Amino acid sequence: MFPYPSGAGLHVGHPLGYIASDIYARYKRLTGFNVLHPMGFDAFGLPAEQYALDTGIAPGVSTEKNAKRYREQLDKLGFSFDWSREVKTCDPKYYKWTQWIFTELFEHYYDQTVDKALSIAHLVSQFEDDGNAKVKAANTCETTFTAAEWKAMSHKEQQDILMNYRLAYRSVGYVNWCEELATVLANDQVKEGISERGGHPVIQKAMWQWNLRITAYADRLLYDLESVDWSSALKAQQSNWIGRSTGAQLFFDIEGSNEKIEIYTTRPDTIFGATYMVLAPEHPLVAQLTTDAQKQDIEDYIAYVGARSEIDRMADKQVTGAFTGAYAINPFTNKKIPVWIAEYVLIGYGTGAIMAVPSDDERDKRFAEKFGLEIIDVVDKSAFPDATLSDKIGKLINSGFLNGMDVLDAIAATNEKIEEMQIGKAKVNYRMRDAGFSRQRYWGEPFPMTYDKDGNAQIIPLEQLPLELPETDDYKPSRDGRSPLSRIDSWINLPDGGTRETDTMPAVAGSSWYYLRYMDANNDDAFVGKKAVNYWQDVDLYIGGTEHAVAHLLYARFWHKFLYDNGLVPTKEPFKKLINQGMIQGVIEFAYYQKATGKYISAELAAQYEDLTPLPVHINFVTDYGSDNSYLSADGITQYKNWRPEYKNSEFVLADDSDRFFTKSEVGKMSKSKFNVINPDEVVAEYGADIFRMYEMFLGPIEAHKPWDTKGISGVSKFMRRFWDLFHTNDTFTVSDDAPSKEELKVLHATIKRVTDDIQRFSFNTCVSAFMECSNELRKLKCNKRAILEPLTILLAPFAPYTSEDLWHQLGNTASVHETSYPIFEEKYVKEDTIEYPISINGKKRATASFASDASKEEIEKAALANEAVQKWTEGKTIRKVIVVPKRMINIVVG
RNA sequence: GCGGGUAUGAUGGAAUUGGUAGACAUGCUAGACUUAGGAUCUAGUGCCGCAAGGCGUGGGGGUUCGACUCCCUUUACCCGCACCA
């Protein structure tokens, strides 16, 4: 995944995935593949704009500068990137096509009969022929009309209808509005009512905004997960996010009203136990249903809920609610049931209303108990004592025609009845919502949309794209929710009296298709040429962090599927194999600080003091950094005092007999704010890119989180020098052309096999181990034979591109080691004449013995039993069984 | 609460289909060489024990000739989602 070029530059964690993909790319090239290994920058987004607000430096300027710095850092690491295909999402030549894809989304709807996107023109022709009653399409249209009615509508009315079908559509909706950042945030940018970035409170606000109808693709996004090679954790995250559930949609009549309450339930079978209903406090019917007598109660309750922030709701899940005074009719019992409102029903999920079944739902039960509402037991679970309330097992009771049925059968039976009674139908529901796509921000792609005098949205055609972001020095978002672009009159107002959209797209827009652009990065006539996309197809190996598990990967899959529907890409899924690189953690060094006295307390004395706060200390001040006994020396303390003016006169409390101020070490995120960032540039300056690359791989499995420990790099450094020394004596190149020994050939071929197998299963840490073992063994054999060292140099080339190239040329080759061909493993060299067998007695290893590799089972068994060490253990005991696994082991069972 | 994952020496980790647990590396201990070094080389290093031997992959149980690996159960930690109807 391409990086966001932040001002902090790369730290040692960033290159991990790029090193892995570079090794894999170089390996594949050596085996004859044409490999596309590209790089680019995810360059639009909030941080650059925040930086502009803080410093006055234009986002374009700082982004350009950061990208340049990233490029410099990456260039030092020996990556085989094809920079001629570089993609920057903020480049108009690139976002021209981001805008174009958006216009295509606007011009399409999702047809559920053919299960793909079709053009709006096709939809219009259906409306003209037959109205919309028979159209099966993903939509938010609330009216039904005939062909005649459609034709009678004004242009504006027709456009408003169509907006409810488009895959990119504009609507008023509740959005996550962050006052502090002055923008709308996506659900995944809000954590527990707080903005992920900056940690500011987020409220729900109604606003006009563009949305993408990703829900139309929910089922395909869910089921096609089966076809990709991703981790189960990642698949589970996406599938949870989509949150498909099956149930029933039902309409309840309201006594004395023509309105109906629409609900969604996954347990239609429990309907005989539905003794009351609950609406979300924000539900549109609340005002209308509330009786005069209850008006005050309801208003008070709504005020109470409004005053409660999302955090309050999370923190204390009190049972609260208010009665509207209205009654609905349970269609199965025909009983009057009261309609309440309560904050535990959410306006954003399902229909914002529920039928409450207190006997079989934990929350409904608590609510009913608190407010004294009727509870009718409808599922007999006495046969399942361990079952929870929500488990779908048991037999129906007190439920009319459902009595005696198992829950699952009862669900099916109820669904049938509901459809027969025409009060609802079986329905699939999703947790995933359509994605708000508007940002009231400067630094993003302008929407390629204009509005005519009547407010109808229309696209800017491809010939007029890109619609370039206008320059300004006024990036500040306004608190009224309007984008900085709205302050540029020449931008908003069009000669024909229309206006431009002033919002911009979110950062996720540009990253949703960049991988396709790499295939044909400089094409000005298409987002990607047909020939190029048919050649490269999709991404074979995609490496990136888990932070993109939902947002980026779901959007990219959605866009890809849309493009697939339009015949523009040949594959259903964009990323065949995906690896989530683990985080490289850092050690954080803390100094204990006592706020009350302003004293710093050495770690070994910490137990004697109270109310200590650990403050992160810059790791440059620390001696024996990362060890258990890391400390500040007198020098370190001075550095700390000089760090910030307010630290100048700090008092440090040390143990009586010590001149060391001990710090507390903890493994955690490598971050600027923890002052523990290790810069790859420094490591590369000291050890070189090859050692840096190999050490990052050697740290552990690519997917695991693991702490960075600069000291450990000496192992890889030693290996490199020893490997070099195989070719040299006192730094003079001394490689012999003598024929290699059998043993030497065995080491070579065993290494070829191990390294190759391990690359293929992305186990790069064990590849490095294999190189080390190989080098250790050749050193013992004093091997300096060309026939061994030359193939090894090629084998090492993907990992250590510089050193291997150097050695390759010293070996007398003129072309590049990276353009030669990969050594071929030959079984015959690793075949053993004799094999050493472990001999176990009752599963415990007691002896070893060598046997010819072609010895028969019988021979081995006989010889093993005769073995002196074995006899010691079998003496006086009965041999019950002897297991001989050829080439593996021998187990003798005695008793 | 739901979903996913992890647990192996002092540390990072290895053991691809059940077959010698701890490869490789760091650290540590001892020694060698020295124009004292964050250099290089050699040996040792899972735990208990003088030894023989015993114990050992978070805990308990099971399957198997044999379990880090498979099954059941349980604990701890990490990640994602969450009054989701």
Side-chain angles (χ1 to χ4, degrees):
Chain A
M1 294 174 196
F2 64 166
Y4 176 82
S6 88
L10 291 173
H11 71 58
V12 291
H14 293 115
L16 186 75
Y18 304 138
I19 296 170
S21 63
D22 193 59
I23 289 169
Y24 199 73
R26 287 177 184 275
Y27 159 72
K28 279 287 178 185
R29 279 193 203 105
L30 284 169
T31 56
F33 287 90
N34 183 13
V35 180
L36 176 46
H37 190 221
M39 183 48 82
F41 296 100
D42 188 10
F44 271 135
L46 271 181
E49 195 172 293
Q50 195 60 46
Y51 185 72
L53 289 172
D54 295 344
T55 64
I57 295 168
V61 173
S62 65
T63 302
E64 193 58 39
K65 190 175 142 239
N66 292 345
K68 199 169 156 247
R69 164 113 178 88
Y70 266 55
R71 172 77 194 268
E72 281 166 13
Q73 288 187 293
L74 291 168
D75 279 348
K76 285 180 190 162
L77 298 176
F79 293 128
S80 60
F81 292 134
D82 181 351
W83 285 104
S84 74
R85 297 172 182 272
E86 179 180 0
V87 162
K88 276 197 196 102
T89 55
C90 64
D91 181 347
K93 281 186 166 173
Y94 176 79
Y95 70 67
K96 165 181 177 178
W97 299 106
T98 309
Q99 290 172 329
W100 174 73
I101 295 171
F102 183 86
T103 63
E104 286 291 294
L105 285 161
F106 179 82
E107 296 286 21
H108 286 78
Y109 76 105
Y110 197 85
D111 191 304
Q112 290 163 332
T113 51
V114 291
D115 228 347
K116 63 184 275 194
L118 295 177
S119 76
I120 287 290
H122 182 265
L123 183 68
V124 169
S125 73
Q126 276 183 287
F127 288 171
E128 283 169 354
D129 293 348
D130 233 353
N132 75 341
K134 288 182 191 156
V135 172
K136 277 189 74 190
N139 71 86
T140 36
C141 186
E142 280 163 2
T143 54
T144 310
F145 50 83
T146 62
E149 284 167 338
W150 170 258
K151 284 173 195 155
M153 286 181 204
S154 70
H155 177 68
K156 166 86 177 143
E157 284 166 334
Q158 288 184 341
Q159 287 303 310
D160 287 347
I161 293 282
L162 288 174
M163 197 56 105
N164 294 309
Y165 288 84
R166 298 178 188 276
L167 287 174
Y169 65 98
R170 204 160 170 258
S171 73
V172 174
Y174 284 95
V175 296
N176 301 305
W177 171 252
C178 178
E179 182 80 16
E180 201 60 39
L181 296 172
T183 193
V184 170
L185 298 169
N187 282 335
D188 47 276
Q189 292 174 314
V190 184
K191 304 279 182 227
E192 298 187 356
I194 298 277
S195 69
E196 197 180 31
R197 208 191 119 68
H200 306 295
V202 175
I203 59 159
Q204 300 292 304
K205 183 176 177 177
M207 278 181 81
W208 273 104
Q209 58 160 3
W210 286 99
N211 305 277
L212 296 189
R213 205 178 299 279
I214 189 170
T215 50
Y217 283 84
D219 269 345
R220 283 166 64 186
L221 289 169
L222 181 64
Y223 293 124
D224 287 350
L225 281 174
E226 282 170 28
S227 70
V228 293
D229 183 6
W230 297 10
S231 72
S232 53
L234 191 46
K235 287 186 186 186
Q237 259 186 69
Q238 290 223 338
S239 131
N240 281 346
W241 186 263
I242 295 165
R244 184 182 202 272
S245 70
T246 53
Q249 171 199 43
L250 259 164
F251 293 89
F252 279 63
D253 287 330
I254 302 162
E255 195 189 43
S257 164
N258 289 329
E259 295 286 351
K260 289 170 191 291
I261 299 174
E262 182 190 357
I263 61 113
Y264 171 77
T265 176
T266 56
R267 293 298 301 276
D269 57 309
T270 62
I271 192 160
F272 284 88
T275 53
Y276 64 102
M277 300 193 82
V278 187
L279 307 182
E282 302 87 351
H283 196 285
L285 284 178
V286 171
Q288 197 179 330
L289 294 185
T290 303
T291 59
D292 291 341
Q294 291 303 112
K295 202 168 175 204
Q296 194 58 46
D297 275 8
I298 292 291
E299 278 173 5
D300 288 350
Y301 184 67
I302 289 174
Y304 160 78
V305 171
R308 260 159 80 83
S309 67
E310 193 102 358
I311 317 157
D312 295 338
R313 278 203 195 191
M314 295 283 178
D316 76 308
K317 294 179 181 177
Q318 286 181 33
V319 180
T320 61
F323 178 44
T324 61
Y327 288 88
I329 309 295
N330 181 321
F332 281 61
T333 62
N334 287 318
K335 279 203 246 174
K336 269 172 61 176
I337 56 175
V339 179
W340 286 65
I341 66 170
E343 62 177 336
Y344 82 88
V345 173
L346 309 174
I347 189 68
Y349 185 78
T351 60
I354 62 161
M355 67 173 202
V357 183
S359 65
D360 278 272
D361 182 281
E362 206 57 66
R363 293 149 307 163
D364 295 348
K365 190 176 180 178
R366 269 185 277 134
F367 194 84
E369 280 167 355
K370 168 143 185 183
F371 294 106
L373 298 158
E374 189 185 7
I375 301 174
I376 304 173
D377 213 357
V378 287
V379 182
D380 174 16
K381 284 188 178 161
S382 53
F384 308 95
D386 294 336
T388 65
L389 222 51
S390 56
D391 287 338
K392 291 183 183 175
I393 46 173
K395 283 208 190 304
L396 274 288
I397 51 171
N398 301 325
S399 295
F401 72 105
L402 298 172
N403 282 339
M405 284 192 199
D406 283 327
V407 165
L408 295 179
D409 297 335
I411 290 174
T414 315
N415 283 346
E416 239 173 75
K417 191 80 180 175
I418 289 167
E419 296 202 19
E420 196 185 302
M421 292 164 72
Q422 299 194 336
I423 53 167
K425 60 182 184 204
K427 198 187 170 190
V428 173
N429 198 39
Y430 301 93
R431 200 188 70 93
M432 181 170 69
R433 309 278 82 190
D434 279 343
F437 212 60
S438 294
R439 298 291 181 271
Q440 294 68 42
R441 284 285 177 163
Y442 172 74
W443 190 233
E445 299 88 350
F447 281 96
M449 305 301 298
T450 59
Y451 302 99
D452 67 17
K453 276 174 265 175
D454 297 330
N456 293 314
Q458 50 210 13
I459 63 161
I460 297 177
L462 179 58
E463 310 83 71
Q464 292 169 38
L465 296 179
L467 173 63
E468 290 203 35
L469 189 62
E471 293 206 11
T472 174
D473 49 13
D474 178 13
Y475 320 109
K476 207 170 163 54
S478 55
R479 305 233 155 195
D480 65 358
R482 281 158 59 86
S483 147
L485 297 185
S486 68
R487 291 191 292 266
I488 306 173
D489 286 345
S490 59
W491 166 265
I492 314 171
N493 298 313
L494 297 168
D496 64 2
T499 55
R500 271 202 180 95
E501 170 63 61
T502 58
D503 285 349
T504 56
M505 297 189 204
V508 80
S511 62
S512 288
W513 72 282
Y514 75 106
Y515 58 93
L516 291 168
R517 188 64 179 170
Y518 284 138
M519 297 174 186
D520 201 5
N522 302 305
N523 191 334
D524 286 330
D525 302 320
F527 77 113
V528 55
K530 207 122 205 137
K531 208 174 138 193
V533 76
N534 283 333
Y535 178 74
W536 295 108
Q537 301 264 325
D538 51 12
V539 180
D540 294 291
L541 174 62
Y542 199 38
I543 303 181
T546 32
E547 66 273 22
H548 300 110
V550 177
H552 162 57
L553 288 171
L554 212 51
Y555 274 100
R557 293 180 63 219
F558 161 43
W559 282 39
H560 194 90
K561 286 179 186 304
F562 170 68
L563 295 168
Y564 172 81
D565 285 353
N566 287 342
L568 298 169
V569 298
T571 59
K572 290 183 179 174
E573 283 287 329
F575 313 117
K576 244 192 276 188
K577 159 99 189 158
L578 188 139
I579 295 177
N580 280 127
Q581 75 199 63
M583 199 169 41
I584 292 192
Q585 298 157 309
V587 172
I588 310 167
E589 297 283 1
F590 292 101
Y592 283 113
Y593 178 66
Q594 193 172 42
K595 232 180 188 164
T597 58
K599 287 178 184 169
Y600 289 84
I601 312 297
S602 185
E604 86 274 32
L605 304 174
Q608 302 165 27
Y609 291 80
E610 280 174 2
D611 297 325
L612 297 180
T613 318
L615 296 181
V617 175
H618 201 294
I619 59 169
N620 287 358
F621 308 160
V622 177
T623 311
D624 288 345
Y625 163 65
S627 82
D628 289 343
N629 298 312
S630 50
Y631 63 95
L632 295 179
S633 63
D635 220 31
I637 292 174
T638 310
Q639 282 180 294
Y640 187 85
K641 287 181 176 170
N642 292 335
W643 191 16
R644 303 259 168 85
E646 63 267 32
Y647 296 166
K648 193 75 208 167
N649 298 312
S650 305
E651 187 184 337
F652 283 76
V653 180
L654 281 62
D656 289 343
D657 53 349
S658 175
D659 56 356
R660 295 176 176 187
F661 177 87
F662 288 98
T663 51
K664 183 178 164 260
S665 310
E666 202 174 88
V667 171
K669 206 172 171 179
M670 202 174 269
S671 122
K672 231 174 153 180
S673 64
K674 299 283 189 282
F675 313 109
N676 65 344
V677 171
I678 310 275
N679 188 324
D681 302 6
E682 289 164 24
V683 184
V684 169
E686 193 169 349
Y687 294 94
D690 287 352
I691 289 174
F692 177 79
R693 289 164 62 107
M694 289 194 85
Y695 184 53
E696 288 237 334
M697 292 297 100
F698 187 60
L699 279 175
I702 182 93
E703 301 192 77
H705 298 310
K706 56 242 158 191
W708 175 268
D709 174 14
T710 301
K711 273 188 304 227
I713 204 169
S714 65
V716 176
S717 167
K718 267 183 216 166
F719 155 74
M720 269 313 218
R721 198 172 42 247
R722 288 171 180 177
F723 188 80
W724 178 270
D725 283 346
L726 292 171
F727 297 70
H728 298 87
T729 314
N730 297 326
D731 272 335
T732 310
F733 184 76
T734 47
V735 168
S736 136
D737 285 324
D738 294 348
S741 72
K742 213 174 151 185
E743 263 178 297
E744 290 166 344
L745 281 165
K746 195 178 135 193
V747 172
L748 169 66
H749 282 271
T751 306
I752 295 174
K753 172 108 176 102
R754 279 181 65 183
V755 171
T756 311
D757 286 356
D758 287 356
I759 290 177
Q760 282 166 358
R761 62 188 181 103
F762 308 102
S763 174
F764 301 110
N765 55 330
T766 52
C767 288
V768 178
S769 296
F771 280 121
M772 288 174 171
E773 278 177 72
C774 168
S775 156
N776 290 345
E777 282 169 50
L778 291 180
R779 202 158 73 104
K780 272 184 204 143
L781 296 170
K782 297 195 164 42
C783 173
N784 67 338
K785 313 274 172 60
R786 170 182 297 273
I788 303 296
L789 299 180
E790 202 162 61
L792 274 183
T793 305
I794 305 170
L795 207 61
L796 186 68
F799 295 83
Y802 293 121
T803 310
S804 54
E805 185 77 320
D806 190 343
L807 291 169
W808 185 248
H809 286 283
Q810 292 193 39
L811 284 162
N813 298 289
T814 45
S816 168
V817 69
H818 303 294
E819 283 158 19
T820 179
S821 58
Y822 200 73
I824 292 159
F825 167 68
E826 288 188 64
E827 185 85 46
K828 65 181 179 191
Y829 293 116
V830 295
K831 270 223 174 99
E832 301 268 8
D833 295 337
T834 62
I835 293 166
E836 183 153 323
Y837 282 79
I839 305 177
S840 301
I841 316 290
N842 288 349
K844 279 265 168 217
K845 187 193 139 198
R846 299 297 181 187
T848 54
S850 288
F851 299 105
S853 56
D854 56 356
S856 73
K857 272 191 176 187
E858 290 73 23
E859 284 174 78
I860 293 173
E861 181 174 333
K862 214 172 136 193
L865 288 172
N867 183 292
E868 206 178 316
V870 172
Q871 295 225 326
K872 199 182 118 196
W873 287 93
T874 54
E875 210 177 357
K877 290 175 181 156
T878 316
I879 292 166
R880 303 208 181 271
K881 201 170 178 184
V882 180
I883 292 122
V884 176
V885 184
K887 295 179 180 162
R888 283 284 187 193
M889 47 69 67
I890 301 156
N891 191 18
I892 300 167
V893 187
V894 300

